[in-house]
Amino acid sequence: MKIVIAGAGAVGTHLAQLLSKDNLSVVLIDHDENILGKLNNELDIMTCAVSATSIDGLKKAGVENADLFIAVTSHESKNITSALLARQLGARRTVARVDNYEYMKPENRIFFEKAGIDALIYPDLLAAKEIADSAQYSWARQMWKFGVEGNLLLLNVKMGFQENGQESNQLLGYTLREIGMRHGHSFHVVAIRRNNETVMPHGEVRILPHDIVFFMTTRDEVSTLRHLLGKDNYPQVKRAFIIGGGKLSVGADWALPEAMDLKILEADETRCEELGRLTRNRTLVIHGEAHDMELLNDEGYGQHLEAFIALTPNDEKNILACVAAHRKGVPKTIAQVENLDYLGMAETLDVGTVINKKAIAASYIYQMLLKSSVDNMKILNVADAEVAEFVVRKGSLVTRYPVMETGLPRGVNIGGMVRNGKGCLVGGQTVLQEGDRVVLFCIGGTLKKIDKYFK
Amino acid sequence: MNWKLILRILGILLFIEAGMLFLCAGVGLFYQEKFLYFVWSALVAIIFGTVSQLAGRHWSGRMGRKDCYMTVTLSWLIFSLVGMLPFLLSGSLPDISSAFFESMSGFTSTGATVIDNCDAQLRGILVWRSLSQWVGGIGIIFFTIAILPAFGMGEVKLFAVEATGPLQEKVHPRISTTARWIGAIYLIITFLCAGTLVLCGMNIFDAFNYALVTAATGGFGTHSDLLRDVYHSPAIEYAFIFFMFVAGINYTLIYHTILRGRIRQFFHDAELRCYFVILMAATALCTLALFISRIDWSAGFNHIGTLFLFMEQALRDALFTTVSLQTTTGLATCDYTCWPLAVIPVLLFIMFAGACSGSTSSGFKCVRWFIILGVVRNELQKILHPRAVLPVRMNDGIVSTQIVQTLFAFTALFVASFFGGAFILALFGVSPTADAQIFDYYDALGISIASLSNVGPGMGYYGPLHSWSILAPVSKVTCAILMLVGRLEIFPVLILLTSGFWKKS
């Protein structure tokens, strides 16, 4: 499969990196030779120093026989033009990144499809959705839903300190075997992230402070898990604070529930006036600097706040503001971090959830792409691991033996399954049946090896 | 430095070398001569490979910039060190410096030899020499990437370090596919060459050996005598000329044009044209010089047939020698060291010039000449139009300033290596006889450029007629280092010698 990516910015580069690991042929084009020169020797891709809107250039990059063309330069109009050109030149599918909510409206979809752009992505919208999701599950860092009705949940929770007093985590300090014996099978640990590396979970692994643990659980059992993790005192988010009044803040404003008491802090006065027009009625726009503590305190910063969302264009400011808010006792903090190099660091700091528009956009395209090529697989890229959803076929290897005895490769972990529309966890003795939707957690590129077990 | 990862890769490479050694053991077995020395050598490679693999088994992290340079340079050194074992164990070369020289000359596809009488050697040894040139010609890392499935340890970066020439182009987005395509072209050239040589009347063993070294632009032979004295066949000589020339063309260009049916574009390539022009100019000069020096003027032109015969002979000799020297192959049909003195500088120049980047030939490479020519032209333009903005153009594109800058650093280092090598060689004496001090520098310059450009035969005594066995051990090691430096295009070796490389940062 040949993929051409136009624009070697953060999204394009990240995407190229993801795709090149999957044995796909990736051609990355950009007009800046210097950026490409570096990437050419780093990634297993081909680079082409041409303009994304040049017909000759696109031809040179081999758009004629590309299965997918992705335009992710920093300019919306350039993306649209180049996707249109690519389609006319023969690219089979085209995707363009836009910065305009209007284009994303369902009624305009047909219009773009007719013109020759199969899909549009709007990173701000995706990021806003993610912010809203994580604000609702405030005690977990991230949450993903699986299954038809989303009744299987994948949660990512950071283990706190024992001495904190606030948390009474009943899992901390125990091995997974001990946990299994004590608390039965209401949840399943699928991966542990420790010191920026993903640890393969097995019976002898102990859960330590600062670990980021990925749990698979069902919707019915999620409260049990929450209780065990000592996160009961995380209140439902009723009051939230957003600092920074950019486009993403407006998106978040619309994505967050109506009932939420939301305040947006913005330093620029004219922008504040604009925000007044753009946001929902319940939102209060406040003119002021994010580091003005007095103002923040006046506006109910601290104990009376359940979520603090930092979306200024400045990464450092966002991270520090979130760390400070956490110290102040705000249970949920969300920071926008655009610099990919800061992601790992922000993860280890006391920032509840880190939002990166580029990574979100890239992994969204990645999912979209894999969905189109493999009929029944849904993929998420989390913590160096891939989460895949498989439908068990009739007569496949996994239906013959209990899970323990099928000999799945090391690094593959069956998190749970949806059987007859009902989500449940998979234990060692479970025998899978035809039609089950299984959620797998595959660490370290093991995803490629598991095809044969399900066919 | 990520030593575990480096050791892991070196381990893989050693297994590949063990495979090559076993192949040669098979050749020995086939010809019913002794072959156990290959088995022992292979076992040594396997033992070291296993130790290296075990030491690096828990590798993690990624390949850093320094690791790449370390891996590439070390892999070539280790390949040569293990590659010298068959020479030592079979007894064909007595001392370590000679064996190291021979092995390095093989892997860098140089072709200079210290074996006095190749005809008396075991067939296994001869095949080992040819095979080492064939693998080294395309590049050890490259060869590994082409034959193994992707091992996901930063082969893209290693590939970039090992590849030659200032501009690198891939033929396919995936590195392993690129390596396989280029490898396929290499294989096709080799087989076509072998087939042609057999058709021209060479025996199969010789044909295959010569095909391997011709495609690699190496130059090890199975005979110590000149090719003409062995085969007496103009057809074979023309076949060699053709395939040496082809082996000197950029393989990426061959892929992009000939395999894609864009023949016209092929002939418009700037580097290829530059290669061709230099070659033709040198050939014309040599032909003229040979013709004038060989013809017996007093006999007059009474017989037109003899004249043509003379001309054909002069042209063939000149063409063979220039192609052989410029592509840095180093095969010879005649002893060019006794040609008229006037053409010696021409020959030295083409040895220095080399053929195209992206081919198996070494040396300075024509693309660099082309860029330098562009810079010089621009400088002249600038005198006339001081405010003109003049980019260096090539193949409808522009060569970036960064590349030009790197190129000039490379040029300086190349020239410095050449003179530095010549100095050390002259210091330890290279003259075959004690009284010929005066020729030392001439010979030393020849040896230095022949090693650095990976040509093979040098000048003076060290031409195609003699082996280099009389060199002092120090000089042999110096030559071997020059070969490595020339093959890896200086920077990967030089960077290891800087103090900054070893600082922890």
Side-chain angles (χ1 to χ4, degrees):
Chain A
M1 184 147 166
K2 185 173 179 185
I3 297 164
V4 180
I5 302 172
V11 179
T13 314
H14 191 71
L15 201 56
Q17 205 167 359
L18 283 177
L19 295 173
S20 69
K21 281 186 194 150
D22 272 2
N23 278 323
L24 299 164
S25 304
V26 181
V27 181
L28 183 61
I29 61 179
D30 198 287
H31 58 88
D32 191 340
E33 217 170 303
N34 294 327
I35 298 175
L36 292 181
K38 212 181 114 225
L39 292 171
N40 197 21
N41 295 341
E42 292 259 324
L43 301 177
D44 199 353
I45 55 170
M46 190 148 99
T47 57
C48 202
V50 293
S51 162
T53 47
S54 140
I55 293 177
D56 267 351
L58 291 173
K59 272 187 189 159
K60 206 174 155 196
V63 165
E64 285 112 322
N65 44 26
D67 296 289
L68 179 66
F69 179 84
I70 305 168
V72 282
T73 69
S74 46
H75 303 286
E76 178 183 73
S77 49
K78 203 169 180 183
N79 290 338
I80 293 176
T81 314
S82 106
L84 292 177
L85 290 175
R87 164 47 69 80
Q88 291 310 313
L89 287 170
R92 229 146 292 152
R93 261 172 79 82
T94 53
V95 179
R97 169 191 165 171
V98 294
D99 285 319
N100 189 339
Y101 183 72
E102 194 188 0
Y103 293 169
M104 298 299 294
K105 285 184 183 161
E107 60 261 36
N108 293 340
R109 217 192 150 86
I110 304 285
F111 171 77
F112 280 105
E113 263 169 31
K114 259 189 204 155
I117 301 176
D118 299 293
L120 294 173
I121 49 157
Y122 181 23
D124 287 85
L125 197 68
L126 297 171
K129 269 188 195 145
E130 186 143 339
I131 290 171
D133 273 354
S134 61
Q136 278 166 37
Y137 278 80
S138 63
W139 56 282
R141 289 200 148 192
Q142 277 161 304
M143 198 270 306
W144 297 271
K145 291 172 185 159
F146 291 93
V148 189
E149 286 149 19
N151 37 20
L152 256 186
L153 301 175
L154 175 66
L155 294 155
N156 155 9
V157 183
K158 186 176 176 182
M159 298 294 116
F161 319 80
Q162 194 76 63
E163 68 270 24
N164 201 339
Q166 257 189 354
E167 303 191 22
S168 50
N169 190 334
Q170 295 177 43
L171 304 183
L172 200 60
Y174 295 105
T175 63
L176 297 186
R177 191 188 305 281
E178 288 164 350
I179 292 169
M181 272 154 48
R182 267 163 188 248
H183 308 294
H185 295 284
S186 56
F187 58 87
H188 196 89
V189 174
V190 284
I192 299 172
R193 208 154 153 74
R194 187 175 288 165
N195 300 330
N196 279 330
E197 273 174 35
T198 305
V199 180
M200 213 90 72
H202 55 85
E204 302 311 317
V205 172
R206 203 173 284 279
I207 293 181
L208 301 174
H210 305 296
D211 279 357
I212 297 165
V213 185
F214 289 83
F215 294 97
M216 197 90 209
T217 187
T218 58
R219 191 184 278 172
D220 307 333
E221 298 285 0
V222 75
S223 54
T224 322
L225 177 64
R226 182 172 175 182
H227 175 70
L228 288 173
L229 289 168
K231 304 264 183 185
D232 283 333
N233 54 357
Y234 271 74
Q236 206 191 339
V237 177
K238 291 206 189 80
R239 279 153 298 191
F241 218 118
I242 294 179
I243 62 166
K247 255 195 274 184
L248 183 55
S249 307
V250 177
D253 174 60
W254 284 93
L256 286 165
E258 175 81 57
M260 198 179 277
D261 175 7
L262 190 66
K263 287 172 184 163
I264 297 180
L265 193 68
E266 165 61 41
D268 184 54
E269 200 165 357
T270 43
R271 177 68 187 164
C272 279
E273 278 166 27
E274 260 175 72
L275 283 174
R277 271 191 293 115
L278 294 170
T279 54
R280 295 209 223 188
N281 284 339
R282 53 90 205 265
T283 310
L284 190 64
V285 178
I286 295 162
H287 172 223
E289 289 284 348
H291 50 76
D292 186 348
M293 274 308 182
E294 212 168 313
L295 177 67
L296 285 173
N297 285 330
D298 280 352
E299 293 299 336
Y301 178 69
Q303 298 302 329
H304 311 294
L305 199 65
E306 283 95 30
F308 184 85
I309 306 166
L311 305 176
T312 71
N314 185 328
D315 287 352
E316 293 87 341
K317 213 184 220 175
N318 292 343
I319 294 173
L320 284 176
C322 280
V323 171
H326 185 86
R327 294 253 164 94
K328 268 270 189 186
V330 180
K332 179 71 189 179
T333 53
I334 299 171
Q336 173 182 225
V337 177
E338 279 307 278
N339 189 338
L340 287 164
D341 299 331
Y342 282 172
L343 278 185
M345 197 190 61
E347 208 174 58
T348 57
L349 286 170
D350 287 327
V351 179
T353 304
V354 178
I355 296 283
N356 182 292
K357 274 198 287 191
K358 292 158 186 166
I360 291 172
S363 64
Y364 180 78
I365 298 176
Y366 185 64
Q367 281 175 47
M368 196 164 75
L369 171 72
L370 288 160
K371 260 191 224 167
S372 71
S373 66
V374 186
D375 48 347
N376 57 0
M377 206 198 280
K378 175 179 173 182
I379 298 208
L380 215 63
N381 240 12
V382 181
D384 302 340
E386 287 148 317
V387 185
E389 197 177 311
F390 273 95
V391 174
V392 179
R393 299 237 176 107
K394 192 177 181 181
S396 61
L397 206 58
V398 281
T399 57
R400 287 177 227 161
Y401 313 99
V403 171
M404 254 168 90
E405 290 161 31
T406 38
L408 284 169
R410 208 176 125 78
V412 176
N413 209 325
I414 300 191
M417 62 174 176
V418 180
R419 183 177 286 173
N420 305 328
K422 199 173 168 303
C424 53
L425 296 167
V426 176
Q429 297 304 327
T430 317
V431 181
L432 297 173
Q433 293 169 5
E434 184 197 344
D436 289 353
R437 296 183 83 88
V438 186
V439 180
L440 294 166
F441 212 88
C442 310
I443 299 168
T446 41
L447 181 61
K448 287 164 217 144
K449 297 182 196 159
I450 57 173
D451 255 13
K452 62 174 180 189
Y453 293 94
F454 291 89
K455 282 190 175 147
Chain B
M1 203 93 65
N2 195 343
W3 282 109
K4 284 192 171 171
L5 183 50
I6 295 177
L7 283 171
R8 178 95 188 169
I9 293 175
L10 291 179
I12 295 173
L13 294 176
L14 278 168
F15 285 140
I16 296 219
E17 185 162 26
M20 290 164 61
L21 286 161
F22 276 124
L23 195 68
C24 290
V27 172
L29 193 66
F30 180 75
Y31 284 106
Q32 293 175 338
E33 52 182 35
K34 63 174 180 174
F35 64 92
L36 275 177
Y37 59 99
F38 275 123
V39 177
W40 297 130
S41 312
L43 284 181
V44 170
I46 288 177
I47 289 168
F48 277 111
T50 314
V51 169
S52 175
Q53 286 272 31
L54 285 178
R57 80 182 167 277
H58 294 306
W59 67 277
S60 61
R62 51 199 284 279
M63 175 138 281
R65 213 174 320 124
K66 286 182 185 177
D67 306 327
C68 292
Y69 286 97
M70 197 71 200
T71 312
V72 169
T73 309
L74 267 185
S75 65
W76 283 78
L77 263 179
I78 287 174
F79 249 64
S80 303
L81 285 172
V82 172
M84 73 186 193
L85 292 177
F87 299 113
L88 289 173
L89 295 178
S90 71
S92 58
L93 285 169
D95 62 311
I96 291 182
S97 63
S98 302
F100 182 60
F101 176 97
E102 193 75 12
S103 178
M104 187 61 94
S105 173
F107 281 109
T108 56
S109 74
T110 304
T113 181
V114 287
I115 293 176
D116 288 320
N117 187 1
C118 291
D119 305 71
Q121 291 297 319
L122 294 165
R123 297 211 165 196
I125 285 288
L126 294 175
V127 173
W128 174 242
R129 292 162 84 225
S130 312
L131 190 65
S132 66
Q133 289 209 321
W134 194 72
V135 171
I138 196 86
I140 293 169
I141 304 274
F142 191 98
F143 182 74
T144 311
I145 296 172
I147 64 168
L148 287 187
F151 38 93
M153 290 189 252
E155 52 263 56
V156 184
K157 295 179 197 171
L158 292 176
F159 178 82
V161 170
E162 198 190 59
T164 57
L167 314 158
Q168 294 166 3
E169 214 183 334
K170 291 178 185 168
V171 301
H172 189 273
R174 298 210 71 80
I175 198 80
S176 47
T177 318
T178 301
R180 276 173 207 151
W181 268 112
I182 301 286
I185 295 173
Y186 193 42
L187 209 62
I188 290 169
I189 293 178
T190 311
F191 274 102
L192 282 179
C193 180
T196 315
L197 289 177
V198 170
L199 283 181
C200 295
M202 200 185 269
N203 70 53
I204 290 180
F205 180 79
D206 282 2
F208 261 93
N209 277 292
Y210 276 114
L212 289 176
V213 301
T214 306
T217 66
F220 271 155
T222 51
H223 302 283
S224 283
D225 294 326
L226 296 171
L227 285 170
R228 176 167 302 154
D229 300 339
V230 180
Y231 297 108
H232 309 285
S233 159
I236 285 181
E237 289 175 28
Y238 280 116
F240 270 121
I241 290 170
F242 177 74
F243 282 103
M244 285 192 290
F245 179 77
V246 170
I249 298 172
N250 189 341
Y251 287 3
T252 314
L253 181 71
I254 294 181
Y255 174 87
H256 274 310
T257 54
I258 305 231
L259 288 191
R260 298 284 186 84
R262 297 183 197 143
I263 309 290
R264 182 192 296 257
Q265 209 179 320
F266 177 74
F267 292 105
H268 280 270
D269 184 70
E271 183 179 24
L272 186 70
R273 286 184 161 197
C274 185
Y275 169 40
F276 196 71
V277 166
I278 294 178
L279 190 65
M280 283 306 117
T283 308
L285 277 171
C286 290
T287 312
L288 201 66
L290 282 183
F291 184 64
I292 293 170
S293 68
R294 278 180 188 170
I295 203 155
D296 188 0
W297 291 103
S298 58
F301 294 113
N302 46 10
H303 207 297
I304 199 80
T306 337
L307 192 71
F308 270 118
L309 225 60
F310 260 116
M311 270 173 91
E312 192 271 338
Q313 175 93 36
L315 179 70
R316 176 147 50 92
D317 286 358
L319 199 60
F320 192 102
T321 305
T322 49
V323 172
S324 170
L325 293 184
Q326 194 180 356
T327 60
T328 72
T329 310
L331 294 169
T333 51
C334 55
D335 185 11
Y336 57 81
T337 53
C338 46
W339 282 6
L341 271 178
V343 300
I344 297 296
V346 175
L347 295 181
L348 275 174
F349 171 75
I350 57 168
M351 283 165 91
F352 188 87
C356 299
S357 63
S359 70
T360 54
S361 88
S362 300
F364 193 71
K365 305 213 168 54
C366 290
V367 64
R368 295 202 170 90
W369 289 114
F370 186 85
I371 296 173
I372 287 180
L373 199 71
V375 173
V376 169
R377 202 187 296 130
N378 283 353
E379 282 307 307
L380 293 177
Q381 277 277 314
K382 250 191 179 134
I383 295 173
L384 300 177
H385 310 279
R387 303 197 62 174
V389 179
L390 300 160
V392 182
R393 288 173 203 281
M394 194 173 91
N395 284 346
D396 314 324
I398 282 168
V399 181
S400 77
T401 340
Q402 179 59 48
I403 287 170
V404 174
Q405 204 173 338
T406 315
L407 169 60
F408 276 95
F410 177 82
T411 313
L413 286 173
F414 200 85
V415 173
S417 309
F418 168 47
F419 283 109
F423 171 72
I424 294 173
L425 289 167
L427 198 66
F428 289 100
V430 292
S431 51
T433 47
D435 55 321
Q437 278 294 319
I438 201 153
F439 289 112
D440 259 15
Y441 263 103
Y442 172 62
D443 285 14
L445 285 173
I447 295 177
S448 184
I449 191 62
S451 301
L452 187 66
S453 276
N454 302 150
V455 178
M459 289 294 167
Y461 171 82
Y462 299 92
L465 280 182
H466 302 103
S467 93
W468 295 14
S469 55
I470 58 156
L471 280 176
V474 186
S475 308
K476 282 177 185 161
V477 174
T478 309
C479 288
I481 292 170
L482 277 176
M483 292 173 199
L484 181 67
V485 165
R487 176 60 181 81
L488 294 181
E489 303 212 316
I490 303 174
F491 290 113
V493 182
L494 189 71
I495 192 74
L496 299 191
L497 306 178
T498 57
S499 62
F501 185 85
W502 297 98
K503 269 190 200 136
K504 278 185 184 154
S505 63

